[in-house]
Amino acid sequence: MKIERKYMAHYLNAAFGTEPDSYCRLGSDLEEYSPEMTANVEKKQNILGQTSVVIDGYQKQGEVTPYYAVEDDPLFEKLQAILDGDLVLDDLKTDIVEVKLWGEESSGAYPAVKEECYIEIVSYGGDTTGYQIPFNVHYTGVKTKGTFAVDTKTFTPA
């Protein structure tokens, strides 16, 4: 049986390192969110005509386009603060949780992986459809497996 896309949920932490966490689900205006893996691939051909392939890492990145600003939304408030303050470096660091809603539910929580990431705002403004702040999510590879309770938006490490 095919799994519908809506069952792979992505929650971005709008608290950006402060307590408490403030997870916002990506997707209300997105037709697609597909983190690109961008593998670091090295190919070598020997004198026998054989090719060896080494994949030694990934530079994972996701694109959130469009992102429409919504008043009182914690993620919009943080994105606007990044713009207003020209924030850089660790002020752009947060985490994103990928929740497998098709997985085995245990007391309201689903299997999940939390990964550290940085947010890069691409532009802001937009057209007559509304104020937009598209951004990229740059994953660091620092992951924690656990569960995510959708009703309380709480991640619990395994």
Side-chain angles (χ1 to χ4, degrees):
M1 174 161 49
K2 289 184 181 179
I3 298 172
E4 292 182 55
R5 177 60 179 90
K6 66 182 179 181
Y7 293 113
M8 173 52 111
H10 301 270
Y11 287 86
L12 186 64
N13 189 351
F16 280 68
T18 61
E19 295 294 332
D21 290 337
S22 179
Y23 288 104
C24 300
R25 185 169 181 182
L26 299 179
S28 65
D29 292 308
L30 291 175
E31 292 181 16
E32 179 180 355
Y33 180 75
S34 300
E36 299 291 329
M37 298 301 289
T38 314
N40 187 23
V41 180
E42 182 181 335
K43 294 182 181 181
K44 293 181 185 176
Q45 189 169 22
N46 64 25
I47 61 172
L48 302 175
Q50 301 163 331
T51 301
S52 67
V53 178
V54 176
I55 299 174
D56 64 7
Y58 296 95
Q59 294 180 4
K60 188 171 154 186
Q61 167 182 320
E63 181 180 316
V64 180
T65 302
Y67 175 82
Y68 287 96
V70 177
E71 285 186 73
D72 299 323
D73 176 65
L75 183 53
F76 157 63
E77 291 173 0
K78 183 59 183 184
L79 294 173
Q80 191 63 52
I82 290 169
L83 285 169
D84 292 344
D86 294 325
L87 301 182
V88 295
L89 303 172
D90 282 348
D91 290 334
L92 304 175
K93 183 178 170 183
T94 189
D95 62 84
I96 190 166
V97 180
E98 292 184 349
V99 185
K100 298 162 186 78
L101 298 176
W102 69 87
E104 191 76 25
E105 183 182 359
S106 172
S107 63
Y110 293 89
V113 176
K114 179 169 83 168
E115 187 167 353
E116 181 182 87
C117 64
Y118 285 80
I119 301 304
E120 168 205 7
I121 294 178
V122 177
S123 64
Y124 65 98
D127 55 24
T128 58
T129 59
Y131 178 37
Q132 299 175 43
I133 309 174
F135 61 93
N136 291 328
V137 179
H138 296 275
Y139 296 75
T140 68
V142 178
K143 296 181 179 183
T144 306
K145 290 184 179 182
T147 58
F148 190 84
V150 174
D151 55 344
T152 60
K153 296 181 182 176
T154 304
F155 178 80
T156 305

